[in-house]
């Protein structure tokens, strides 16, 4: 269940982490990228644990913690996106965060919420390394930059188009068109657009 106090605590933790990192690093893009990487890593591991344990009801306290952790992050990052993003990227990321929060409020024993969270965050991980090495802009990191760029192309395209697409298709066949599916279908096509951008243009323009 949702715990607004814990959502507030988790969101505050990300704001505090932002302030702490800004004290040591004057590059806001590196700070925001690291915090996103931190959430994605933890969220991937927690989602995998839930999946491997077959969404056991004994995990309900852990599932609630995972849900409140991610909603807290997306609340924090929505404010960061509103402040630092521009144009279509701002609209896209704000919708992504809204749709993900909305999905997390649903029953994970009915809908494959943590399968989607696991795959989505896993596909994001190489991109954080790519962004970091590009922002550092050091010749010695060029091989690492190209490695993570190519890894992102493969992982993001396969997961976002095929794996998540199949989960969504299977879910619609099982439950029909619901309010949740109506919210998530545009999110899927945002992922398709982002995949095309990564494959053809390889832009780094989140903030």
């Amino acid at each position: 269940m949702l715990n607004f106090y814990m959502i507030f605590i988790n969101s505050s933790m990300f704001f505090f982490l932002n302030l702490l990192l800004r004290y040591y690093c004057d590059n806001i893009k590196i700070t925001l990228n690291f915090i996103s990487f931190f959430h994605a890593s933890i969220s991937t591991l927690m989602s995998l644990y839930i999946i491997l344990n077959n969404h056991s009801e004994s995990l309900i306290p852990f599932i609630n913690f995972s849900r409140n952790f991610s909603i807290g992050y997306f609340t924090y990052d929505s404010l960061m996106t509103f402040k630092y993003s521009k144009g279509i990227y701002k609209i896209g990321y704000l919708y992504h965060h809204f749709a993900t929060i909305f999905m997390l409020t649903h029953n994970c024993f009915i809908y494959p919420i943590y399968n989607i969270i696991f795959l989505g965050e896993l596909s994001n991980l190489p991109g954080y390394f790519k962004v970091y090495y590009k922002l550092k802009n050091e010749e010695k990191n060029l091989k690492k930059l190209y490695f993570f760029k190519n890894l992102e192309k493969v992982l993001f395209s396969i997961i976002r188009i095929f794996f998540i697409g199949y989960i969504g298709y299977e879910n619609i066949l099982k439950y029909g068109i619901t309010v949740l599916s109506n919210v998530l279908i545009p999110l899927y096509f945002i992922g398709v657009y982002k995949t095309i951008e990564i494959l053809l243009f390889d832009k780094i323009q989140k903030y």
Side-chain angles (χ1 to χ4, degrees):
M1 61 181 291
L2 291 178
N3 184 323
F4 291 103
Y5 174 73
M6 290 308 301
I7 290 171
F8 172 77
I9 292 297
N10 281 288
S11 186
S12 298
M13 177 194 69
F14 286 109
F15 279 108
F16 175 76
L17 183 58
N18 182 295
L19 292 174
L20 182 64
L21 292 174
R22 295 278 302 273
Y23 181 80
Y24 294 100
C25 176
D26 57 1
N27 190 324
I28 182 62
K29 293 182 179 180
I30 290 179
T31 294
L32 296 172
N33 185 65
F34 177 82
I35 294 173
S36 295
F37 169 73
F38 171 73
H39 167 262
S41 301
I42 300 299
S43 184
T44 299
L45 291 174
M46 289 195 295
S47 299
L48 180 61
Y49 181 74
I50 292 168
I51 294 167
L52 292 177
N53 285 276
N54 297 312
H55 296 76
S56 170
E57 291 191 5
S58 64
L59 291 179
I60 287 178
F62 182 80
I63 290 171
N64 288 335
F65 173 81
S66 176
R67 177 188 293 116
N68 294 327
F69 176 78
S70 287
I71 292 178
Y73 166 75
F74 287 119
T75 301
Y76 149 82
D77 202 54
S78 292
L79 295 173
M80 293 297 104
T81 299
F82 189 80
K83 182 176 181 180
Y84 293 106
S85 292
K86 297 178 180 179
I88 192 171
Y89 287 92
K90 176 181 287 190
I91 297 170
Y93 279 100
L94 287 175
Y95 185 84
H96 169 275
H97 291 2
F98 159 76
T100 306
I101 290 172
F102 183 73
M103 178 181 70
L104 284 165
T105 63
H106 285 70
N107 190 338
C108 68
F109 297 108
I110 298 175
Y111 301 104
I113 292 170
Y114 287 99
N115 300 67
I116 295 174
I117 293 292
F118 169 73
L119 290 171
E121 296 296 0
L122 179 65
S123 69
N124 286 334
L125 292 178
Y128 297 124
F129 289 95
K130 181 191 74 174
V131 170
Y132 173 75
Y133 287 121
K134 188 156 188 175
L135 289 173
K136 293 293 287 184
N137 195 26
E138 296 174 349
E139 188 174 350
K140 65 179 181 179
N141 292 323
L142 199 57
K143 288 184 178 179
K144 294 177 182 177
L145 174 60
Y146 281 111
F147 170 78
F148 285 111
K149 181 194 297 183
N150 291 327
L151 180 61
E152 180 188 37
K153 287 181 178 181
V154 173
L155 203 61
F156 201 94
S157 58
I158 292 174
I159 288 178
R160 291 300 180 107
I161 293 179
F162 298 106
F163 286 10
I164 292 181
Y166 175 76
I167 289 174
Y169 174 72
E170 188 179 51
N171 193 68
I172 289 174
L173 286 180
K174 187 174 183 180
Y175 298 108
I177 297 296
T178 63
V179 174
L180 179 60
S181 64
N182 284 332
V183 170
L184 294 183
I185 287 172
L187 186 59
Y188 171 76
F189 285 105
I190 288 175
V192 172
Y193 171 83
K194 184 66 177 176
T195 300
I196 294 171
E197 185 183 66
I198 289 171
L199 291 174
L200 300 182
F201 305 106
D202 194 34
K203 291 182 180 178
I204 302 174
Q205 198 175 343
K206 180 175 180 181
Y207 298 105

